[in-house]
Amino acid sequence: MKPWMIVLIVVAVVLIALVVLLYFLGKKAQKRQAEQQQMLEANKQTVSMLIIDKKRMRLRDAGLPQAVMAQTPKLMRRSKLPIVKVKIGPQIMSLICDEKIFDTVPVKKEVKATVSGIYVTSVKGLHGKQLDAPPAKKKGRFRRALEAAQEKAGAKPVK
């Protein structure tokens, strides 16, 4: 057997082992996420709150309790999370918002929110009002240039 064939076989075996490892790790993470979702559903409460501010910020800058910082994995502490500063009754606190609803959360408005611990999972307008859709994303330079070029050429713009 030629040496390059041996190297090719070894690389193929390593790649197959890596794929199998990633498969099992993904399955384990999926199971853990399902358990966490069940816990969130079991502990959820509907609360009326005034949203003061919302930002994406690091965990240590968010003003969350020290117990939260202690439980957070070290790699997660440096990442930026969607944080919502709210007033619930007389108390002002910082909560972590679900990434899916962060853009739809209105600022300086009173809302009814579903909260599980310090995690906001959904937001509805007070008195059944529908919240505004998230603002349209700004077009980047490339997209604007592409549309301008297509208009000059007389072609149909790409959306």
Side-chain angles (χ1 to χ4, degrees):
M1 223 181 223
K2 301 200 187 242
W4 63 270
M5 290 178 79
I6 295 172
V7 170
L8 193 66
I9 292 171
V10 169
V11 169
V13 169
V14 168
L15 285 176
I16 290 171
L18 189 64
V19 168
V20 169
L21 177 74
L22 287 175
Y23 172 77
F24 286 113
L25 287 177
K27 225 175 176 183
K28 187 177 177 182
Q30 201 172 27
K31 192 183 297 184
R32 194 177 316 135
Q33 184 186 19
E35 290 172 4
Q36 288 174 349
Q37 195 64 34
Q38 278 181 331
M39 271 178 69
L40 283 175
E41 289 296 319
N43 297 325
K44 72 179 181 180
Q45 299 173 334
T46 302
V47 180
S48 180
M49 63 175 66
L50 173 68
I51 298 178
I52 299 169
D53 191 21
K54 67 177 187 176
K55 289 182 185 174
R56 293 188 199 288
M57 54 179 28
R58 291 206 167 107
L59 208 55
R60 67 172 181 260
D61 301 334
L64 294 170
Q66 194 60 36
V68 174
M69 291 293 291
Q71 291 177 351
T72 307
K74 289 191 178 183
L75 291 175
M76 268 307 273
R77 291 181 195 171
R78 293 194 53 120
S79 65
K80 289 190 176 183
L81 294 175
I83 304 292
V84 180
K85 192 172 190 178
V86 298
K87 182 177 183 183
I88 302 174
Q91 193 174 20
I92 294 177
M93 55 178 46
S94 294
L95 302 175
I96 299 173
C97 187
D98 190 0
E99 191 68 50
K100 297 174 202 160
I101 65 162
F102 183 69
D103 293 330
T104 62
V105 174
V107 179
K108 307 253 193 284
K109 290 199 178 164
E110 196 165 341
V111 296
K112 283 197 181 223
T114 306
V115 179
S116 181
I118 63 163
Y119 195 70
V120 179
T121 55
S122 71
V123 174
K124 294 181 205 160
L126 204 58
H127 308 297
K129 292 180 190 171
Q130 282 293 81
L131 296 176
D132 298 333
K137 284 189 171 180
K138 290 183 178 179
K139 292 180 184 176
R141 279 186 182 167
F142 180 74
R143 176 65 65 184
R144 284 195 308 259
L146 181 65
E147 288 178 1
Q150 288 176 343
E151 281 181 24
K152 284 183 182 177
K156 189 175 174 184
V158 177
K159 299 269 175 168

